[in-house]
Amino acid sequence: MSIVTGGANGIGRALAEQVVRRGGHVVIADLDGTAATATAAALTSASAADGGSAEAVQVDVAEPGAVADLVERVSREHGRLDFMANNAGILVAGPLTEFTERQWEVAIDVNFRAVVAGGARHTP
Ligand SMILES: NC(=O)c1ccc[n+]([C@@H]2O[C@H](COP(=O)([O-])OP(=O)(O)OC[C@H]3O[C@@H](n4cnc5c(N)ncnc54)[C@H](O)[C@@H]3O)[C@@H](O)[C@H]2O)c1
């Protein structure tokens, strides 16, 4: 059982694809629920012969408790969690001195706090 945050696109999608290709089941957790649903359907369809599958869930990893809740729910429903990719991330570009308070908050929440939350809950 696996979770890939930010799995609807890019590197996260590639990680999720590797799981289903090996016959695993992956939860694609992404801010963009529509893209996550489309990716999960495409990966499941492409790996039907391998027995792998994917499901989508709309999650904003920056929301307090969201990643911890996701890990807890998936672990409980599937009885195990083998692989957790805290992949969701954003690039905030530009001169640091010109960042707004809000840009700092979002960058720290998505790129740092959410990763710590996912790792902390996954550690036995
Ligand atoms: N692509 C690179 O060259 C590169 C380099 C260094 C680090 N990274 C890191 O690797 C990770 C993936 O990069 P990528 O290029 O595939 O990015 P991407 O932009 O292609 O995909 C990121 C995915 O994360 C999702 N996402 C964004 N904010 C989210 C949130 N708050 N909650 C849930 N999902 C959210 C997006 O909807 C998207 O599907 C990121 O953490 C990125 O910072 C990428």
Side-chain angles (χ1 to χ4, degrees):
M1 189 61 218
S2 305
I3 297 173
V4 179
T5 67
N9 298 289
I11 295 168
R13 179 181 173 128
L15 288 169
E17 184 176 4
Q18 291 303 314
V19 172
V20 296
R21 272 192 184 178
R22 288 164 171 76
H25 183 73
V26 63
V27 175
I28 295 172
D30 203 286
L31 183 62
D32 186 341
T34 303
T37 299
T39 295
L43 296 187
T44 299
S45 170
S47 73
D50 306 315
S53 58
E55 66 182 82
V57 58
Q58 195 278 329
V59 172
D60 180 355
V61 300
E63 284 293 316
V67 176
D69 289 348
L70 173 70
V71 169
E72 193 280 326
R73 182 180 64 76
V74 171
S75 301
R76 178 169 34 81
E77 289 179 359
H78 295 272
R80 60 189 288 171
L81 179 59
D82 306 297
F83 175 65
M84 172 71 184
N86 292 291
N87 163 80
I90 54 168
L91 176 67
V92 185
L96 296 183
T97 51
E98 293 176 15
F99 281 16
T100 65
E101 196 69 25
R102 183 65 190 142
Q103 283 176 305
W104 278 114
E105 284 173 5
V106 173
I108 291 169
D109 286 349
V110 174
N111 296 335
F112 179 67
R113 287 204 177 100
V115 174
V116 172
R121 294 303 286 243
H122 185 42
T123 304

